[in-house]
Amino acid sequence: MRILVAGGAGYIGSHTIVELYKKGHTVVCVDNLYNSKLKVIKNIEKIIGTNIPFYKVDCCNKKKLETVFKKESFEAVIMFQGYKAVGESVKKPLEYYRNNIDSALTILELMDKFNIHNVIFSSSATVYGKNCKSPIKESDNSQCLNEITNPYGETKAMIERILMDKAKSDKTFKAVILRYFNPVGAHESGLIGEDPNGIPNNLMPYIAKVATGKLPYLNVYGNDYKTKDGTGVRDYIHVVDLAIGHVATIKCFNNKKTNLWIYNLGTGKGTSVLDLVKEYENANKLSIKYKIVGRREGDIDKLYCNPKRANEELNWQASRTVNAMCESSYKYEFNNKISGGELCQKTKKLKKK
Ligand code: WQD
């Protein structure tokens, strides 16, 4: 299948393109490079051994995006595009609603116009809200008081609703919604990985910067949660397992029984912050300096999923270990030539905005 990958230069998108090619699919990639770099496309091409059509396009720009729909032909779209920093979304709600909802609607309207019926949407475990009890099933998000704690998560829930209503109104339209838990790690080549702008919000890329001396130590946000060591527990999934999960959903488009699928993509296992630090140290034979500080606003004790539906219906299982997640994360960070000084400079610039 030939697939338009929106946001394909991003962390999950780039790894998914690699796995799509491994299974014989081809892609067209669009990305506005707001939170990614052109070198990612070059590195994807190095891994897959061929060039991919890339267009630097903002998916909110209907006129420009339509030129790609006119010029290229594809049978499905994967929607990775969107802003995804939870904390930033609280500070800039209007930008998040405008960008994430507008880009999704623009793509869906162009799919309609060009008779493209198949879409995979990159959603998030954030749609489960803080009252859901782990292990979380896909059906939980209706029962557990969908108290989403940030605009980022709200945009994911709204786009899911748009896809559900479109699938209800148009039986030729087929939508797969994938709810990610905590994607971490990098491709084994060390050429692509997680490269957030500025100081990372998320745990694993922060640990990676401490491990490579770009940041002095990790702040552990609270050790008074109801978990075995008091630190937050999450369902970390290797980004390559996550990417393979996307490829496994393509078979849904031949399924005549229904036209809407929702899957959790996670391991079903929880790992605490301190456990992850220990795993990182063991995997890479180094030590990570950390300080226990106060809780971060909005964090919850535990969040991990029941991946049974994806395991059974997609015949997909996350198989890479936490050790492999840590090893690949460090290898990428080590290869990713950004000095500590440059990182601090970038952060100072970000703060000024
Ligand atoms: C994990 C644990 C923190 C940083 C978020 C989004 C979610 C998804 C993944 C997009 C928590 C602790 C963290 C640090 C720490 N993104 N932590 N020190 O919050 O589970 O999920 O990212 O879809 O939507 O909500 O991930 O990595 O930020 O935090 O102690 O410097 O690590 O308290 O327990 P989170 P995270």
Side-chain angles (χ1 to χ4, degrees), residues 19 179-184 234-248 263-271 304-325:
E19 296 309 320
R179 292 172 180 164
Y180 308 161
F181 279 72
N182 289 55
V184 293
R234 296 293 184 272
D235 186 333
Y236 297 98
I237 175 172
H238 197 296
V239 65
V240 173
D241 277 335
L242 186 67
I244 292 168
H246 284 73
V247 181
Y263 296 110
N264 286 334
L265 292 188
T267 64
K269 293 186 210 85
T271 304
Y304 56 93
C305 78
N306 175 338
K308 199 158 162 282
R309 184 188 284 182
N311 299 158
E312 288 172 359
E313 292 184 17
L314 301 176
N315 187 24
W316 166 88
Q317 177 93 28
S319 60
R320 287 160 180 82
T321 61
V322 178
N323 183 287
M325 296 172 202

Side-chain angles (χ1 to χ4, degrees), residues 7-286:
Y11 176 40
I12 319 288
S14 53
H15 287 81
T16 302
I17 290 175
V18 169
E19 296 309 320
L20 284 167
Y21 271 85
K22 272 169 76 173
K23 284 286 181 197
H25 301 289
T26 57
V27 315
V28 177
C29 179
V30 292
D31 198 304
N32 62 2
L33 301 182
Y34 167 83
N35 192 23
S36 48
K37 302 174 182 78
L38 192 58
K39 83 170 178 186
V40 173
I41 303 299
K42 301 294 161 229
N43 287 337
I44 294 170
E45 291 174 338
K46 267 193 213 145
I47 295 169
I48 62 178
T50 182
N51 290 340
I52 52 173
F54 170 72
Y55 297 84
K56 185 175 181 292
V57 169
D58 184 330
C59 291
C60 296
N61 183 330
K62 193 165 193 174
K63 204 159 167 300
K64 267 190 98 178
L65 188 59
E66 183 160 1
T67 61
V68 180
F69 275 71
K70 275 188 186 132
K71 187 160 174 253
E72 301 285 351
S73 73
F74 34 85
E75 297 93 5
V77 178
I78 306 183
M79 298 205 292
F80 290 109
Q81 89 290 346
Y83 297 156
K84 60 158 194 165
V86 169
E88 185 186 56
S89 78
V90 176
K91 296 190 194 95
K92 303 179 174 177
L94 295 186
E95 285 89 327
Y96 269 71
Y97 285 112
R98 167 58 62 194
N99 181 69
N100 291 8
I101 309 292
D102 190 348
S103 59
L105 282 172
T106 301
I107 290 171
L108 293 168
E109 287 168 348
L110 286 170
M111 283 178 66
D112 255 5
K113 183 170 181 181
F114 287 83
N115 268 319
I116 297 161
H117 306 285
N118 307 314
V119 68
I120 297 171
F121 172 55
S122 153
S123 189
S124 163
T126 324
V127 302
Y128 286 114
K130 61 177 195 268
N131 287 344
C132 287
K133 290 279 162 282
S134 292
I136 298 180
K137 295 189 302 300
E138 288 83 355
S139 53
D140 283 349
N141 83 319
S142 45
Q143 283 103 38
C144 60
L145 291 179
N146 216 342
E147 270 180 38
I148 298 175
T149 57
N150 56 79
Y152 159 77
E154 290 291 357
T155 66
K156 292 297 186 184
M158 286 176 188
I159 297 165
E160 286 197 6
R161 170 54 58 213
I162 291 167
L163 294 172
M164 291 171 194
D165 289 345
K166 171 65 178 165
K168 234 184 261 162
S169 74
D170 172 1
K171 290 308 169 203
T172 68
F173 179 75
K174 297 184 175 219
V176 179
I177 292 170
L178 300 178
R179 292 172 180 164
Y180 308 161
F181 279 72
N182 289 55
V184 293
H187 186 263
E188 62 195 9
S189 64
L191 287 169
I192 53 176
E194 189 170 12
D195 181 15
N197 288 336
I199 296 221
N201 297 302
N202 295 134
L203 179 63
M204 186 66 121
Y206 202 107
I207 292 177
K209 297 258 184 257
V210 175
T212 49
K214 295 166 191 169
L215 287 170
Y217 59 85
L218 168 72
N219 293 299
V220 176
Y221 295 142
N223 66 346
D224 57 351
Y225 286 102
K226 293 192 216 57
T227 62
K228 72 177 180 71
D229 61 18
T231 62
V233 168
R234 296 293 184 272
D235 186 333
Y236 297 98
I237 175 172
H238 197 296
V239 65
V240 173
D241 277 335
L242 186 67
I244 292 168
H246 284 73
V247 181
T249 67
I250 291 173
K251 60 168 134 341
C252 295
F253 297 137
N254 298 323
N255 178 327
K256 305 270 182 277
K257 285 203 292 286
T258 177
N259 67 334
L260 178 74
W261 299 267
I262 302 178
Y263 296 110
N264 286 334
L265 292 188
T267 64
K269 293 186 210 85
T271 304
S272 76
V273 175
L274 292 181
D275 278 350
L276 196 64
V277 169
K278 265 183 227 112
E279 286 275 3
Y280 210 99
E281 292 179 324
N282 296 340
N284 300 299
K285 298 181 183 37
L286 46 76

